[in-house]
Amino acid sequence: MPGCFCGSDWSVLIPMDKADYIIASYLLETDGDLEEAADALATEQSTGTWTDVPGEGEARERHGARVVKVTKQGERDRPSLPTRFAPQGEAPTARTYSWGVAEIAFPHINFGPRLPNLLSAVAGNLFEMGAFTAVKLLDLELPDEFLSRFPGPRFGIEGTRELLGVFDRPLAGAIVKPCVGLGPRELADIVYQAARGGLDFIKDDELLADPAYNPLEDRVDAVMEALGRAEQETGEKTMYAFNVTDRSDRILELHDIVVDGGGTCVMLNYVTAGFGALRMLAEHTRVPIHAHRDFFPAFTRSPSLGLSTKVFTKLSRIAGADQLHIGALAGKLYETDDEVLENVAACMADLDGLKRSMPVSSGGQHAGKVPLTWRKMGHPDYLHLSGGGVFGHPDGPEAGARSIRQAIAATSESRRLEDAAQDQVELRRAIEYFGEVLY
Ligand code: CAP
């Protein structure tokens, strides 16, 4: 096994310029030496394999991934993941499993500005290496030279706000519920009611795309007609995200159906569709892309395996997501507040001038969650999405939508929702029905 490059002086560690590398940080656990394990990971994921092969030595100078730092953090007496070399559940043995964080530099010349190929390098075969009893990609540091080859969001926060003409408060949005089963007319009818209640944004559920019982083309016609009517009555716009997730070769066709039918936003389940599909859509789209992340927890939820959500969030912003799901503060999902706020930071942080993606707070949201979410976010640049919290309101979608707008208005005036609810029946009914206001 080649020697370890651990240290901190870049000129000693890597043969090329720092800008030529992507730095990947991993949680790593092994029953062997942690630095050797990190080195094996770097070798396997770039030039080498389990044994020397002719020509590898020459390739390594320019193409080899390098370990730049290993920080041991502790030891365990059992492996975190099962492996044929140490089946999980075996009685504690004399063996110990060291774990810590390894930073590895990958030359981006190996894959170029292509996210599927980047992922094969930094998050590919390494997960199946039997010697690692925990391996999770925690973060990616991407140099400006690499970032500059990506489009990033075309609209982002500012573009989304401009299309709606709303600048000074969180956007109020909803996910159509029931998720599936409604035909175009029935769906458009409840969308109309929710839009009349003052929503800025409504979206398809991730489970609805272009099924035979509710074809996208018919849904676009019905929904856009309903939103036009609502706008004439309220004087306010409502953006609608139509789900164009499909086989890669149909996504652009579905986008065109939406835009030609007057649609104002497209949605992609980007984890099932893939980062390549998201980027393709971003380079083609004429409207904002709403990026839904279902399927991601299969990769993110285990502390011992997979990728952090922050990595997913960062890559989808780079690929061009204008609005990006970040989980929910005090919602129904598994992520801690700290993890949700890291996702928010990945949407908003400075990334070589790429536009910011609008963070989308979603999962178990209703009017009573508005004050806490706004306080913890620390700014109004996000989209507050409720499914059950609007369409499950006891007095219907219009009342559900109004309750969200009332909660946003009260919070912006620093009023307690219980006080505002004294003379705002929709908010009062939401608080009574959903049962809690969180500050
Ligand atoms: C929310 C939702 C969203 C999740 C996923 C659902 O519905 O429509 O898909 O919030 O969010 O089906 O669960 P409710 P994320 O508002 O009724 O909870 O992508 O941020 O994980």
Side-chain angles (χ1 to χ4, degrees), residues 205-243:
D205 193 86
E206 78 281 0
L207 300 175
L208 176 66
D210 188 29
Y213 73 87
N214 189 338
L216 184 68
E217 193 161 2
D218 296 355
R219 188 160 79 255
V220 172
D221 286 349
V223 165
M224 294 318 293
E225 185 278 325
L227 290 181
R229 253 186 305 133
E231 186 180 342
Q232 280 187 343
E233 292 164 24
T234 63
E236 292 183 350
K237 290 188 189 311
T238 306
M239 182 179 281
Y240 191 99
F242 293 95
N243 189 1

Side-chain angles (χ1 to χ4, degrees), residues 354-436:
L354 291 187
K355 288 196 176 121
R356 300 175 304 161
S357 305
M358 175 161 264
V360 178
S361 162
S362 169
Q365 299 301 293
H366 56 74
K369 302 277 181 77
V370 167
L372 176 135
T373 303
W374 197 341
R375 177 176 67 75
K376 288 197 173 172
M377 285 273 188
H379 58 79
D381 283 330
Y382 66 94
L383 169 53
H384 181 101
L385 267 192
S386 318
V390 165
F391 292 97
H393 189 285
D395 302 323
E398 185 169 337
R402 276 192 211 294
S403 73
I404 305 286
R405 284 291 299 270
Q406 289 163 350
I408 290 176
T411 306
S412 74
E413 293 160 6
S414 305
R415 290 181 74 195
R416 290 183 70 78
L417 297 201
E418 291 87 344
D419 295 339
Q422 304 275 337
D423 54 4
Q424 294 183 324
V425 64
E426 296 88 353
L427 182 57
R428 189 169 72 245
R429 294 274 288 157
I431 294 171
E432 285 164 7
Y433 187 73
F434 297 117
E436 55 181 349

Side-chain angles (χ1 to χ4, degrees), residues 173-177 179 203-207 267 270 290-297 309 324-328 331-335 343 360-366 385-392:
I175 311 121
V176 173
K177 305 282 175 182
C179 311
K203 70 182 262 297
D204 286 336
D205 193 86
E206 78 281 0
L207 300 175
M267 160 169 154
Y270 73 88
H290 185 94
H292 197 281
R293 58 183 197 160
D294 59 290
F295 193 37
F296 85 96
T309 324
L324 243 172
H325 280 239
I326 48 97
K332 69 181 187 186
L333 311 175
Y334 80 91
E335 286 166 286
N343 297 336
V360 178
S361 162
S362 169
Q365 299 301 293
H366 56 74
L385 267 192
S386 318
V390 165
F391 292 97

